[in-house]
Amino acid sequence: LIALSPQQAAAVLRRIKKNRGAFLNKIYGFKVKDKKYKGLLEEFQGEKLGKSTILIPIEYREDIIKIIKHYGVNAKIIEVYV
């Protein structure tokens, strides 16, 4: 599982200005009228732990890292074993 602290996640979001909306839509999903588009968090069966803090299963680690790099997000990843 991977977790970002609220301070780290907030700092991450401040660093991505131009594509912030696209990044958030990709991670959390979005809704247009009656149509709902899944985000990676739902697709990977992850959880939102707090403001800008997510927890995902370790098998999706590389997928999330690719997205983070694609959007130029500076993130701190902490592996948590439960």
Side-chain angles (χ1 to χ4, degrees), residues 19-31:
N19 294 320
R20 182 174 188 256
F23 174 74
L24 293 175
N25 287 344
K26 186 81 168 175
I27 297 296
Y28 297 115
F30 61 100
K31 186 176 176 183

Side-chain angles (χ1 to χ4, degrees), residues 4 8-9 11-12 15 23 64 68 72-78:
L4 297 175
Q8 294 161 343
V12 163
R15 290 189 180 115
F23 174 74
I64 290 294
I68 287 171
V73 175
N74 185 8
K76 182 175 181 182
I77 297 171
I78 301 170

Side-chain angles (χ1 to χ4, degrees), residues 2-75:
I2 299 172
L4 297 175
S5 74
Q7 295 84 8
Q8 294 161 343
V12 163
L13 294 178
R14 283 193 297 271
R15 290 189 180 115
I16 57 167
K17 296 176 184 175
K18 187 174 183 182
N19 294 320
R20 182 174 188 256
F23 174 74
L24 293 175
N25 287 344
K26 186 81 168 175
I27 297 296
Y28 297 115
F30 61 100
K31 186 176 176 183
V32 177
K33 296 186 180 182
D34 294 331
K35 177 72 174 160
K36 183 181 177 194
Y37 297 90
K38 284 185 180 181
L40 293 177
L41 196 60
E42 184 178 346
E43 187 178 320
F44 296 164
Q45 299 164 352
E47 293 182 41
K48 182 175 180 180
L49 299 178
K51 184 178 179 182
S52 302
T53 306
I54 62 172
L55 186 70
I56 61 162
I58 195 74
E59 59 262 22
Y60 301 112
R61 182 178 195 264
E62 293 304 317
D63 298 318
I64 290 294
I65 289 173
K66 283 181 191 175
I67 298 297
I68 287 171
K69 286 182 179 180
H70 174 75
Y71 286 99
V73 175
N74 185 8

